[in-house]
């Protein structure tokens, strides 16, 4: 392995001491050797690394890199509507841009990009999300992935916990996201050409570390104002703004003390939008900021540790935009049975005239991490007004969560195991009204067999609790007690074929269940070839799936609304497939494909008898009536529900929410580094998407035929960049 001299970062001193750690992994013996050694029961890290003394530097590299690129792309996308003037089934485009990297000093680097292209990035997997919360996808774009650890904020750790997250601060996929006003371009019987994403006009980051232990990261990015081209039903053409000009900023700094045993840090983020369009001003925050600080302290040879994090957030804008934030699934300020506060910093007070909102996030953990016997106690909280989704990823605010665990590790191999660990503990969660919204007791065991197989198993008993999200802004409902059983098994990773499986089964006190079986096989027929196959199947039956809510002044127990629930039988089958072939050190081929099928059959439509009670009544059985309407194919397309037969409540109609979804996503990326730092990419991306309403039943032959019978959308891309540097 050769590392170019120009890529190294070091100070200007003539004689230097460099930190150094050397590790060697011997595959055939499953053995890892470390030059700077610490025991398995010790806490390691860079502060335990060795030193290379007496390094003499004759001269510093003068490092400047410029990598311009050009992309040619052909899109063969089936028009959503026949006669679409913006898409005849074939669209070609080109774009140019550049990346720049240069040393600002011996320890600080500037990375900048102009009009970046990420066409060679792997596609996101398909999923079905029936919750009120956004789906999280990991960052894959090289500019944001490189050096991303510097921007990590709020160290968090947990021996075992569920529904737990560190304090949210920065989620780079918010930069260059899909236009947030895309739906504004829709007109009846018209056509619209909506940009795929907000164009990143430019982005830059400065990262580095000083000799006295100060690590700094600063990132700023600007995305362009995006407009959709629209033709209405009368033929009029106009532009509809769907994303405003936006600036994103994040700054992060940490300082080491006492040889790295104490680390103090801080972060600041900002999002500023130019909201010239009234419709966007009504839905997006004009600006959003957050500032935070964190502390990591370890003592007694790193045996004990203290993690502490606090972050303050603020959003501001038009009152309608703030109303959307208050009504979002993260907090549901409009919930009619909320009791907390009447204003104030920690309040969840619903205010339709508010033009700003503030909140606080906090995390504290005290633990013993060294030795065979370990323990931890921690608290994790988000006040109702905490909101950072403009630049981060936040699913839920308004909670206080406590977690405690005790763990024991056996690290000396025996005839029964090579290592073995057990964990036991529990958690509890309340909202800021004081309602008990979750808690569990759990146990875990795992280890490695003498044959180098890795295994683990755990069981969780979730207590019955209140659910302040189940009715999507309605009053509290009951979440039934549940038991979760899960396991994982991996064969010896040294072999050419490695198998793994991770079954899980969940059952609740209301009669619901969820079973899932994941398996994977990795095959390496040669050192330069790797293939993996990951089939997954899940079957679940929920008994209180949210469907919709309708106004009904006679239903005073639920504050003038009816919240319709149902049973839901959901089946999902997918197969993640990957193949990587490295032809030479400078050329490789990567293939990814995911066929995906999901069905959902809704039945037994019902409602809760009263807030905060578990009893439910099924329409047509326990209360009221339910009738159906059919289409020409004999499928149910709608349900007509009278909740009290001849009573004063008016009947209402809901469409049949049952569904069948088929998807096939994949891409192929050939990469050739034709000269050092200069790369040529050939990319083919294909997707097939098919949605069928009303049925909800799973038939493998029918689903397979529908999947492969769906017209594919294809994108072909060629990207060439050229490295200029010294």
């Amino acid at each position: 392995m050769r590392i170019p001299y120009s890529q190294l970062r070091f100070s200007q001193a003539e004689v230097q001491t460099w930190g150094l750690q050397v590790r060697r992994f011997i595959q055939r013996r499953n053995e890892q050797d470390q030059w700077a050694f610490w025991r398995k029961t010790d806490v390691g890290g860079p502060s335990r690394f060795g030193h290379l003394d007496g390094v003499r530097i004759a001269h510093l590299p003068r490092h400047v890199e410029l990598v311009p690129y050009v992309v040619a792309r052909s899109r063969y996308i089936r028009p959503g509507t026949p006669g679409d003037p913006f898409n005849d089934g074939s669209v070609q485009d080109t774009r140019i841009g550049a990346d720049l990297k240069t040393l600002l000093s011996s320890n600080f680097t500037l990375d900048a990009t102009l009009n970046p292209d990420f066409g060679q990035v792997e596609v996101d997997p398909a999923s079905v999300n029936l919750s009120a919360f956004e789906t999280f996808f990991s960052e894959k774009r090289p500019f944001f992935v490189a050096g991303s650890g510097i921007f990590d904020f709020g160290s968090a750790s947990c021996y075992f916990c569920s529904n737990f997250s560190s304090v949210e601060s920065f989620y780079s996929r918010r930069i260059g996201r899909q236009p947030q006003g895309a739906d504004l371009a829709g007109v009846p019987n018209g056509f619209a050409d909506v940009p795929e994403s907000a164009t990143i006009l430019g982005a830059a980051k400065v990262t580095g570390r000083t000799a006295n232990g100060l690590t700094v990261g600063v990132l700023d990015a600007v995305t362009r104002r995006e407009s959709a081209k629209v033709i209405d039903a009368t033929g009029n053409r106009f532009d509809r703004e769907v994303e405003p000009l936006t600036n994103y900023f994040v700054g992060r700094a940490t300082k080491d003390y006492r040889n790295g045993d104490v680390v103090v840090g801080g972060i600041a983020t900002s999002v500023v939008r130019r909201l010239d369009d009234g419709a966007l001003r009504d839905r997006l925050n004009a600006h959003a900021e957050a500032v935070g600080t964190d502390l990591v302290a370890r003592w007694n040879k790193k045996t004990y540790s203290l993690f502490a994090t606090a972050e303050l957030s603020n959003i501001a804008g038009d009152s309608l935009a703030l109303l959307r934030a208050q009504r979002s699934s993260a907090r549901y300020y409009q919930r009619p049975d909320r009791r907390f506060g009447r204003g104030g910093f920690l309040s969840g007070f619903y205010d339709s005239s508010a033009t700003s909102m503030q909140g606080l996030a906090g995390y504290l953990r005290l633990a013993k991490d060294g030795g065979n016997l370990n323990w931890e106690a921690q608290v994790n909280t988000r006040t109702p007004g905490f909101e950072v989704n403009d630049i981060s990823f936040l699913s839920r605010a308004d909670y206080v969560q406590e977690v405690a665990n005790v763990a024991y590790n056996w690290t000396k191999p025996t005839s029964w195991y090579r290592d073995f660990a057990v964990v036991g503990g529990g958690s509890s969660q309340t909202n800021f009204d004081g309602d008990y919204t979750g808690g569990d007791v759990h146990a875990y065991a795992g280890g490695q067999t003498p044959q180098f197989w890795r295994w683990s198993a755990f069981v969780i008993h979730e207590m019955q609790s209140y659910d302040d999200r189940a009715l999507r802004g309605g009053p509290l409902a009951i979440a039934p007690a549940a038991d979760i059983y899960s396991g994982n098994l991996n064969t010896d990773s040294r072999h050419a074929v490695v198998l793994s499986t991770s079954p899980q089964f969940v059952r609740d006190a209301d009669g619901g269940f969820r079973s899932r079986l994941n398996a994977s096989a990795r095959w390496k027929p040669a050192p330069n070839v790797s293939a993996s196959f990951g089939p997954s199947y899940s079957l679940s039956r929920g008994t209180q799936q949210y469907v919709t809510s309708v106004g009904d002044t006679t239903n005073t127990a639920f504050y003038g609304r009816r919240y319709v629930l149902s049973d839901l039988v959901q089946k999902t089958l997918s197969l993640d497939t990957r193949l990587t072939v490295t032809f030479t050190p400078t050329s490789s081929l990567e293939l990814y494909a995911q066929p995906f099928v999901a069905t959902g059959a809704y039945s037994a439509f019902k409602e809760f008898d009263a807030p905060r009670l578990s009893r439910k009544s099924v329409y047509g059985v326990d209360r009221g009536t339910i009738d159906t309407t059919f289409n020409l194919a004999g499928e149910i397309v709608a349900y007509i529900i009278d909740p009290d037969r001849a009573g004063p409540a008016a009947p209402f109609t809901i469409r049949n929410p049952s569904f069948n979804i088929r998807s096939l996503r994949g891409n192929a990326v050939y990469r050739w580094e034709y000269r050092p730092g200069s790369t040529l990419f050939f990319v083919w991306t294909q997707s097939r998407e098919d949605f069928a309403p009303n049925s909800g039943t799973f038939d493998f032959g029918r689903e397979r035929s529908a999947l492969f019978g769906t017209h594919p959308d294809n994108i072909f891309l060629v990207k060439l960049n050229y490295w200029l540097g010294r």
Side-chain angles (χ1 to χ4, degrees):
M1 179 183 294
R2 294 186 301 171
I3 300 175
Y5 183 61
S6 63
Q7 302 299 306
L8 299 178
R9 306 288 180 268
F10 42 81
S11 71
Q12 301 182 19
E14 183 179 350
V15 181
Q16 303 183 18
T17 298
W18 288 3
L20 182 67
Q21 173 65 312
V22 179
R23 289 194 181 100
R24 181 190 183 196
F25 186 74
I26 304 173
Q27 178 78 2
R28 68 184 184 279
R29 291 159 54 183
N30 202 21
E31 175 182 302
Q32 177 176 288
D33 300 325
Q34 293 192 147
W35 175 59
F37 172 77
W38 58 84
R39 294 178 176 84
K40 293 182 180 179
T41 56
D42 294 337
V43 178
S47 62
R48 289 186 179 267
F49 290 177
H51 296 88
L52 185 62
D53 293 323
V55 179
R56 293 184 176 273
I57 304 299
H59 66 277
L60 294 176
R62 300 179 61 187
H63 180 63
V64 178
E65 291 183 14
L66 177 64
V67 186
Y69 79 84
V70 60
V71 171
R73 184 176 64 163
S74 293
R75 303 170 66 240
Y76 300 92
I77 308 297
R78 178 180 52 175
T81 304
D84 187 344
F86 298 115
N87 181 13
D88 62 0
S90 174
V91 178
Q92 288 74 40
D93 58 63
T94 59
R95 62 189 300 172
I96 59 174
D99 296 329
L100 170 70
K101 176 178 287 191
T102 183
L103 285 178
L104 300 179
S105 69
S106 59
N107 292 324
F108 283 86
T109 303
L110 168 67
D111 291 273
T113 183
L114 177 66
N115 192 26
D117 175 81
F118 306 109
Q120 76 277 17
V121 174
E122 182 181 290
V123 296
D124 292 320
S127 64
V128 174
N129 185 351
L130 301 179
S131 74
F133 308 106
E134 179 184 5
T135 301
F136 179 88
F137 293 108
S138 60
E139 179 62 87
K140 302 174 183 178
R141 300 172 295 179
F143 177 81
F144 296 105
V145 171
S148 59
I150 292 178
F151 298 95
D152 289 345
F153 171 72
S155 296
S157 178
C158 192
Y159 293 139
F160 189 95
C161 49
S162 58
N163 299 320
F164 179 89
S165 64
S166 59
V167 173
E168 299 81 3
S169 57
F170 179 45
Y171 178 49
S172 57
R173 287 193 65 148
R174 297 299 188 209
I175 303 173
R177 66 195 302 176
Q178 292 181 341
Q180 299 171 83
D183 59 301
L184 297 174
V187 293
N189 303 314
F191 302 94
D193 182 19
V194 182
E196 300 171 63
S197 60
T199 301
I200 302 175
L201 294 175
K205 59 183 176 182
V206 175
T207 56
R209 179 180 173 88
T210 66
N212 61 359
L214 177 65
T215 301
V216 176
V218 177
L219 184 148
D220 194 82
V222 178
T223 58
R224 187 177 67 186
R225 173 184 180 271
E226 297 288 356
S227 296
K229 299 182 183 301
V230 182
I231 301 178
D232 64 18
T234 62
N236 293 323
R237 291 176 175 262
F238 58 92
D239 291 340
R240 165 80 262 184
E241 185 176 348
V242 293
E243 182 74 20
L245 178 71
T246 307
N247 187 86
Y248 299 87
F249 169 85
V250 57
R252 171 74 164 136
T254 60
K255 180 71 167 66
D256 294 359
Y257 298 95
R258 298 180 58 186
N259 269 343
D261 285 344
V262 176
V263 181
V264 180
I267 195 169
T269 65
S270 169
V271 177
V272 179
R273 298 185 175 97
R274 179 181 292 176
L275 295 172
D276 299 324
D277 183 87
L280 289 177
R281 189 163 52 247
D282 290 345
R283 64 171 58 190
L284 300 179
N285 300 319
H287 59 89
E289 302 82 29
V291 292
T293 182
D294 58 340
L295 166 71
V296 177
R298 294 184 172 93
W299 64 93
N300 193 14
K301 298 182 179 179
K302 301 184 183 295
T303 300
Y304 298 94
S305 65
L306 174 69
F307 293 175
T309 304
E311 186 175 22
L312 177 67
S313 71
N314 175 71
I315 61 172
D318 187 86
S319 59
L320 289 178
L322 268 294
L323 199 61
R324 289 171 65 94
Q326 294 179 59
R327 297 176 64 90
S328 77
S329 58
R331 54 194 56 83
Y332 286 137
Y333 274 15
Q334 76 274 25
R335 209 181 74 231
D337 59 345
R338 289 184 68 95
R339 304 187 303 273
F340 185 82
R342 286 295 182 267
F345 178 68
L346 299 181
S347 174
F349 180 55
Y350 187 53
D351 183 0
S352 60
S353 63
T355 56
S356 66
M357 183 172 71
Q358 296 78 36
L360 178 68
Y363 171 71
L364 184 68
R365 176 182 185 261
L366 179 65
K368 178 179 180 290
D369 296 317
N372 296 97
L373 177 64
N374 307 128
W375 53 262
E376 65 179 356
Q378 52 188 310
V379 60
N380 198 21
T381 184
R382 309 290 183 274
T383 68
F386 185 71
E387 175 58 52
V388 289
N389 269 310
D390 292 274
I391 199 171
S392 187
F393 189 95
L394 174 73
S395 294
R396 184 185 182 102
D398 189 10
Y399 68 87
V400 179
Q401 181 184 49
E402 299 93 11
V403 179
N405 285 302
V406 177
Y408 196 88
N409 300 279
W410 290 267
T411 59
K412 185 177 180 180
T414 70
S415 59
W416 291 88
Y417 57 80
R418 297 191 60 81
D419 60 70
F420 181 64
V422 294
V423 180
S427 69
S428 177
Q429 180 176 290
T430 59
N431 62 21
F432 275 74
D433 275 346
D435 301 309
Y436 180 72
T437 55
D440 68 66
V441 291
H442 49 256
Y444 165 92
Q448 189 177 57
T449 71
Q451 296 77 28
F452 297 100
W453 287 35
R454 177 67 62 180
W455 67 275
S456 64
F458 66 82
V459 58
I460 303 175
H461 176 71
E462 295 182 339
M463 313 296 186
Q464 177 177 294
S465 61
Y466 293 117
D467 190 338
D468 53 6
R469 302 297 192 269
L471 300 185
R472 312 285 175 93
L476 287 180
I478 289 292
D483 294 306
I484 303 173
Y485 308 91
S486 184
N488 181 266
L489 179 65
N490 293 270
T491 64
D492 190 345
S493 62
R494 299 173 299 170
H495 295 167
V497 176
V498 180
L499 306 176
S500 68
T501 182
S502 54
Q504 185 178 92
F505 180 74
V506 182
R507 64 180 181 184
D508 64 47
D510 203 29
F513 70 89
R514 182 175 71 251
S515 57
R516 185 191 69 197
L517 178 62
N518 291 338
S520 69
R522 190 203 70 194
W523 177 42
K524 295 193 69 175
N528 65 320
V529 179
S530 178
S532 65
F533 309 91
S536 174
Y537 177 75
S538 66
L539 168 65
S540 65
R541 177 182 180 270
T543 59
Q544 51 187 54
Q545 173 65 39
Y546 178 85
V547 178
T548 189
S549 70
V550 295
D552 185 347
T553 57
T554 69
N555 195 24
T556 57
F558 283 88
Y559 306 89
R561 297 198 69 81
R562 291 194 181 273
Y563 296 90
V564 182
L565 311 174
S566 78
D567 288 356
L568 171 62
V569 176
Q570 188 173 353
K571 301 177 182 179
T572 303
L573 178 65
S574 67
L575 174 63
D576 284 2
T577 306
R578 301 176 188 274
L579 173 65
T580 302
V581 182
T582 304
F583 302 107
T584 70
T586 59
S587 65
S588 63
L589 174 67
E590 295 183 3
L591 304 176
Y592 169 76
Q594 185 213 34
F596 177 89
V597 175
T599 63
Y602 290 74
S603 63
F605 296 91
K606 66 190 80 171
E607 63 180 63
F608 281 105
D609 290 346
R612 301 174 183 256
L613 293 179
S614 60
R615 295 193 306 272
K616 296 179 283 291
S617 294
V618 178
Y619 300 125
V621 177
D622 304 311
R623 69 159 63 197
T625 62
I626 183 168
D627 295 314
T628 55
T629 60
F630 297 85
N631 61 15
L632 296 178
E635 298 174 330
I636 298 174
V637 295
Y639 296 90
I640 304 170
I641 298 171
D642 187 339
D644 60 356
R645 294 182 185 270
F652 58 89
T653 301
I654 61 172
R655 67 170 183 83
N656 183 2
S658 298
F659 62 86
N660 289 56
I661 295 175
R662 303 102 177 188
S663 168
L664 176 60
R665 298 183 180 184
N667 65 352
V669 180
Y670 175 76
R671 178 183 182 277
W672 174 36
E673 189 177 6
Y674 59 92
R675 64 185 300 270
S678 302
T679 312
L680 176 65
F681 293 95
F682 293 95
V683 182
W684 170 38
T685 300
Q686 183 180 104
S687 62
R688 300 169 185 255
E689 308 286 343
D690 179 65
F691 176 81
N694 306 326
S695 171
T697 60
F698 186 95
D699 180 276
F700 181 77
R702 181 190 62 196
E703 311 304 330
R704 181 191 59 193
S705 298
L707 174 62
F708 291 100
T710 301
H711 187 280
D713 293 332
N714 292 286
I715 299 176
F716 298 94
L717 176 149
V718 179
K719 179 177 180 179
L720 176 71
N721 60 37
Y722 190 86
W723 183 85
L724 300 168
R726 58 187 180 129

